[in-house]
Amino acid sequence: MILKLCVPGLMILFLLCSVATAMDQSAADSKPGCRDKCGNVSVPYPFGIDKSSCAENQYLFLNCSQSDGHGPEKLWFYNIPVLNISVLEGLMVVSLFTAYDCYNQSGANVNETSFSIGLGQGPYMFSDTLNMFTAIGCDTSGYVGKNEGTYGAACITSCDEMVSLADNSSCSGSGCCQTSIPQGLKSLYILSSSMNNHRNVSDFNPCGYAFLADKRTFKASDWQLSGLPDGNASDAVIEWVVETKSCEKAGMNTSSYACRNNTNCNYSKNGQGYRCSCKDGFTGNPYLLPGCQDIDECADRQRYPCKGKCKNTPGNYTCSCPLGMRGDGKTGCQGFGIATIASVTGGTISLVIIGVLLYIVLRKLRKDKNFRENGGMVLKHQRVRIFGEAELAKATENYNDHKKLGEGGFGCVYKGVLPDNTQLAVKKFKGVDRAQMNEEFQHEIGMVLQVNHKNVVKLLGLCLQTKVPLLVYEFISNGTLFHHIHDKKSQVLRTWTDRLRVAAETALALEYLHSLANPPMIHGDVKTVNILLDEDGTAKMADFGASVLISPGQTDIATKIQGTFG
């Protein structure tokens, strides 16, 4: 950055004392272990002082020092005094030198300075929306341009008698004139000159001034036409971004991305780079971890009105009216009449009661219909327990996923526990229509009811109240043979004796099914996932959904087997 005073025959560094203005305290904080103030100016992160680690990057590291080695510390942006930093607006207010030229009554130049400043390669530029180039005087031409000479603008002010500059002065050319600066300006050269060397006005206006001014705080009355240069300075606004990248490109590098939790990334209107801001309903410094914090709107009823019951939500709040009142709660609640309340309450209660009774009746009718269509009138006379739908739903915690024991093409098997601590396995079919389900269900029931062997899983009962019937088997606690074969930590098959025993018990189960059952049946889906082991390691053959009954003289068995043939 360049900062020079151009005085005939002399180049000097410019250091100017400043009076700091108050900053938006809602975002004035710093990194842990870093100072957040220099003198009476707040230094919020991503800016930092003292140590480079206190700032987000090198361009946002500022100097805090005493201008002359004595007195209070002041905050400097290079050699420019900083008056205020706003994280929320992305602005920095600084104090800039004023260019001027003064003459005696004979028209001789007795004092003259021009002003040159550059903001360097960092993420800074002069605000084109908040700054106005201004000239003060009765025979004054103010010029502003780039250091490189690629831009220039001027305004002329004149008057032939003393003019009183008021705060509401329009600066239309009589004693004061103003013009705008272009967008994206990173350097300035300011010059004040005179067309007639103030010969006609020197008795009441010996000097002319040219400077950049923050139009939010500029007061024309601060500049007296009869005054002489005495450390004159003006407030000016510099826009800053945290990094000269687009939001999309910056967000790709999470290690250097400056926006924290609950923030928005905003690309600057002048195309310079991005800044961060808190999302609606959140507050804090968007650059500091952990990010912006949720505003508890219910704790501040003055800013966030609520005439009813307030409930804070992330980034927002809800407000509901008390019982017996209506409205959105935020703008107000209106009461019902007593008769209206009684009528509405009574009607609502009646509807609820009728709805509950209707639901109970329809549910019972549905269960009775399912029971009959699933063969309940016949099966209830068999030696098998009939379970209720609600009983099994409670036992399986409404078929919670963490109760699931396995899943196949037929459906899912869930573990259940009855009130007497009896453990069971509930087979719940899926993906089949009613006609197919009845056929398969009756087929499996017919076979399983005939099976009675210690190495075959026992059927405990069934449920006929559901649209698709449910089968309830004994619970085998030690999982499948497949699991113990492939789990290296399993000790169930640690010896050849155990392995041969499991194989023999499986063979006994198949021998029983194929030869001893009446009529005999082929399992049709023999695999390790269908062989279960109980707590003693005893093998139990399971899943008869693919079994085929063998009739005397039958020769087409191979075409009927549905499972893993062979």
Side-chain angles (χ1 to χ4, degrees), residues 532-548:
L532 307 180
L533 301 177
D534 65 13
E535 64 274 8
D536 299 322
T538 302
K540 300 275 189 176
M541 182 62 67
D543 199 345
F544 295 88
S547 296
V548 176

Side-chain angles (χ1 to χ4, degrees), residues 4-112:
K4 311 188 280 189
L5 295 184
C6 301
V7 182
L10 183 64
M11 301 289 291
I12 63 173
L13 288 176
F14 170 64
L15 299 176
L16 182 64
C17 297
S18 63
V19 178
T21 59
M23 169 192 172
D24 186 348
Q25 295 299 317
S26 64
D29 46 6
S30 61
K31 289 180 70 174
C34 298
R35 282 200 295 164
D36 63 355
K37 269 185 173 285
C38 177
N40 58 353
V41 179
S42 295
V43 186
Y45 191 78
F47 292 87
I49 55 178
D50 299 334
K51 300 178 293 185
S52 59
S53 60
C54 290
E56 174 69 22
N57 56 54
Q58 60 176 336
Y59 297 112
L60 303 177
F61 181 61
L62 304 179
N63 176 30
C64 179
S65 62
Q66 297 168 318
S67 59
D68 54 2
H70 302 283
E73 290 181 319
K74 294 179 176 61
L75 187 63
W76 304 92
F77 170 62
Y78 293 96
N79 291 324
I80 306 173
V82 178
L83 308 180
N84 172 264
I85 298 174
S86 172
V87 167
L88 303 182
E89 298 175 299
L91 302 176
M92 176 189 291
V93 179
V94 297
S95 179
L96 293 184
F97 183 74
T98 302
Y100 58 88
D101 58 327
C102 298
Y103 305 87
N104 59 22
Q105 290 186 350
S106 63
N109 185 287
V110 295
N111 202 351
E112 180 180 21

Side-chain angles (χ1 to χ4, degrees), residues 363-380:
R363 186 178 180 186
K364 186 177 186 308
L365 291 174
R366 175 181 59 80
K367 289 182 178 181
D368 291 343
K369 179 182 178 183
N370 289 336
F371 183 83
R372 291 192 302 272
E373 292 183 354
N374 289 328
M377 302 307 294
V378 175
L379 290 172
K380 71 179 181 179

Side-chain angles (χ1 to χ4, degrees), residues 224-243:
Q224 299 300 321
L225 296 178
S226 58
L228 296 174
D230 184 21
N232 297 71
S234 65
D235 295 353
V237 183
I238 295 174
E239 295 182 18
W240 59 269
V241 294
V242 70
E243 194 175 12

Side-chain angles (χ1 to χ4, degrees), residues 374-414:
N374 289 328
M377 302 307 294
V378 175
L379 290 172
K380 71 179 181 179
H381 299 296
Q382 302 292 329
R383 290 182 300 172
V384 62
R385 179 175 175 179
I386 304 297
F387 288 90
E389 179 185 14
E391 184 180 12
L392 294 183
K394 182 178 180 181
T396 59
E397 296 181 14
N398 204 25
Y399 302 99
N400 197 301
D401 280 346
H402 80 270
K403 291 287 186 178
K404 188 181 292 184
L405 298 174
E407 184 172 3
F410 64 85
C412 300
V413 178
Y414 296 86

Side-chain angles (χ1 to χ4, degrees), residues 163-443:
V163 176
S164 176
L165 299 178
D167 290 346
N168 59 356
S169 173
S170 62
C171 281
S172 57
S174 178
C176 176
C177 69
Q178 289 183 322
T179 187
S180 61
I181 62 173
Q183 188 180 78
L185 201 60
K186 294 178 72 69
S187 65
L188 288 176
Y189 173 70
I190 298 177
L191 175 68
S192 175
S193 61
S194 174
M195 294 174 288
N196 297 309
N197 293 353
H198 283 234
R199 288 188 183 92
N200 300 327
V201 296
S202 60
D203 57 334
F204 63 88
N205 176 226
C207 300
Y209 304 90
F211 51 89
L212 198 64
D214 180 353
K215 63 183 182 182
R216 300 173 302 175
T217 58
F218 171 73
K219 294 181 179 180
S221 60
D222 291 339
W223 301 83
Q224 299 300 321
L225 296 178
S226 58
L228 296 174
D230 184 21
N232 297 71
S234 65
D235 295 353
V237 183
I238 295 174
E239 295 182 18
W240 59 269
V241 294
V242 70
E243 194 175 12
T244 54
K245 291 181 180 178
S246 66
C247 289
E248 292 76 13
K249 188 173 181 180
M252 295 173 64
N253 188 345
T254 56
S255 62
S256 63
Y257 186 51
C259 299
R260 306 306 180 187
N261 296 327
N262 303 314
T263 62
N264 294 318
C265 181
N266 308 304
Y267 193 63
S268 62
K269 294 180 179 179
N270 55 34
Q272 182 183 8
Y274 78 94
R275 289 189 291 267
C276 309
S277 64
C278 291
K279 291 182 177 180
D280 291 342
F282 293 85
T283 187
N285 190 318
Y287 301 97
L288 274 177
L289 287 173
C292 298
Q293 305 300 306
D294 178 46
I295 297 173
D296 185 359
E297 291 88 353
C298 297
D300 189 353
R301 294 293 184 91
Q302 186 172 358
R303 293 182 61 188
Y304 306 98
C306 180
K307 305 298 183 181
K309 182 179 179 181
C310 185
K311 180 180 179 182
N312 185 54
T313 60
N316 206 336
Y317 73 107
T318 60
C319 183
S320 57
C321 290
L323 182 64
M325 305 189 75
R326 61 183 177 181
D328 64 1
K330 296 181 180 180
T331 57
C333 298
Q334 294 78 41
F336 292 101
I338 296 178
T340 304
I341 295 174
S343 176
V344 171
T345 303
T348 302
I349 293 175
S350 298
L351 289 175
V352 170
I353 293 174
I354 293 173
V356 170
L357 292 176
L358 185 61
Y359 171 77
I360 293 173
V361 171
L362 291 176
R363 186 178 180 186
K364 186 177 186 308
L365 291 174
R366 175 181 59 80
K367 289 182 178 181
D368 291 343
K369 179 182 178 183
N370 289 336
F371 183 83
R372 291 192 302 272
E373 292 183 354
N374 289 328
M377 302 307 294
V378 175
L379 290 172
K380 71 179 181 179
H381 299 296
Q382 302 292 329
R383 290 182 300 172
V384 62
R385 179 175 175 179
I386 304 297
F387 288 90
E389 179 185 14
E391 184 180 12
L392 294 183
K394 182 178 180 181
T396 59
E397 296 181 14
N398 204 25
Y399 302 99
N400 197 301
D401 280 346
H402 80 270
K403 291 287 186 178
K404 188 181 292 184
L405 298 174
E407 184 172 3
F410 64 85
C412 300
V413 178
Y414 296 86
K415 179 183 178 181
V417 180
L418 297 177
D420 62 359
N421 292 324
T422 300
Q423 299 186 38
L424 44 80
V426 181
K427 185 175 183 180
K428 190 176 184 182
F429 295 94
K430 68 175 183 179
V432 291
D433 58 37
R434 183 94 182 221
Q436 178 187 4
M437 189 65 256
N438 283 339
E439 181 180 348
E440 291 185 0
F441 174 71
Q442 293 171 10
H443 172 66

